[in-house]
Amino acid sequence: MDNQIIVKNSGFIELPKIVDGDDGTISIAENLRHIPFEIKRVYYIYNLNNPKAIRGKHAHKQLEQVLFCIAGSCEIGIDDGTTEQTVTLDNPHLGIYLGTELWHTMKNFSPGCILLVLASDFYSENDYLRDYDEFKNYLNRPKTQEELE
Ligand code: T46
């Protein structure tokens, strides 16, 4: 895994873990303690049987999320419009925070990969930027006074 994330609005999230030897490990994610927002939605992506699958390919205007690969591994590509980076997720207690306005992709899923996502809001298609040019235009939009403060 890359040691450092340089793309803006993003970063690693390391959850505490309680290791019970060969009897298992517990990782814990609490609202506003380990996760930097109120969790309103949880979803998970699995049955990734197509090794060439590339998911994501969009950005969010307002939504914040944390992604954990709780089984197997995958790669997360992130792009803030200026800087791009690819991060490998291969440890259930190490996640990646994706803030607003980040183009992201998920790919190179290992067999049995399960991606768990904690999200700051309910699903809304209006929050998606699903076209890369639309994403770039959104980044370059004139900012409101509220956004500038
Ligand atoms: C994201 C990455 C990390 C819903 O109806 N409700 C939901 O909560 C979600 C997550 C999806 N959907 C529907 C919308 C589409 O018709 O499920 C379908 C597939 O969604 P999408 O193509 O956006 O899936 P991914 O894997 O490309 O992206 C998902 C999240 O949608 C997205 O917010 O950031 O995981």
Side-chain angles (χ1 to χ4, degrees):
M1 181 185 264
D2 298 11
N3 290 327
Q4 221 187 340
I5 297 186
I6 53 171
V7 170
K8 72 176 187 186
N9 294 349
S10 58
F12 288 119
I13 299 265
E14 183 168 2
L15 298 180
K17 61 177 182 177
I18 299 168
V19 182
D20 208 0
D22 290 339
D23 293 343
T25 300
I26 298 178
S27 280
I28 306 115
E30 295 182 352
N31 253 359
L32 298 174
R33 182 174 294 170
H34 312 111
I35 305 300
F37 51 77
E38 294 264 11
I39 302 162
K40 276 200 176 173
R41 179 167 50 115
V42 176
Y43 60 92
Y44 39 98
I45 302 172
Y46 56 108
N47 284 345
L48 291 150
N49 298 324
N50 174 9
K52 292 186 181 161
I54 302 180
R55 302 193 62 96
K57 294 179 277 183
H58 60 249
H60 286 287
K61 296 175 191 166
Q62 301 285 338
L63 189 73
E64 298 172 79
Q65 305 189 100
V66 181
L67 280 58
F68 294 96
C69 195
I70 58 167
S73 64
C74 68
E75 288 179 354
I76 312 294
I78 42 177
D79 173 1
D80 60 20
T82 306
T83 307
E84 293 179 41
Q85 195 172 359
T86 299
V87 173
T88 302
L89 290 185
D90 57 3
N91 193 324
H93 85 291
L94 275 179
I96 184 169
Y97 167 74
L98 300 183
T100 60
E101 302 178 9
L102 282 182
W103 190 262
H104 56 279
T105 55
M106 301 95 83
K107 58 186 175 185
N108 286 337
F109 302 99
S110 73
C113 173
I114 302 176
L115 200 54
L116 175 76
V117 184
L118 309 179
S120 66
D121 211 344
F122 304 127
Y123 171 76
S124 167
E125 190 57 39
N126 289 337
D127 191 66
Y128 284 73
L129 299 161
R130 290 197 183 269
D131 176 84
Y132 193 77
D133 289 338
E134 188 192 359
F135 164 63
K136 292 287 280 189
N137 290 338
Y138 186 81
L139 291 181
N140 294 324
R141 73 196 181 283
K143 303 285 188 300
T144 62
Q145 191 57 38
E146 200 182 339
E147 287 175 307
L148 290 170
E149 284 167 3

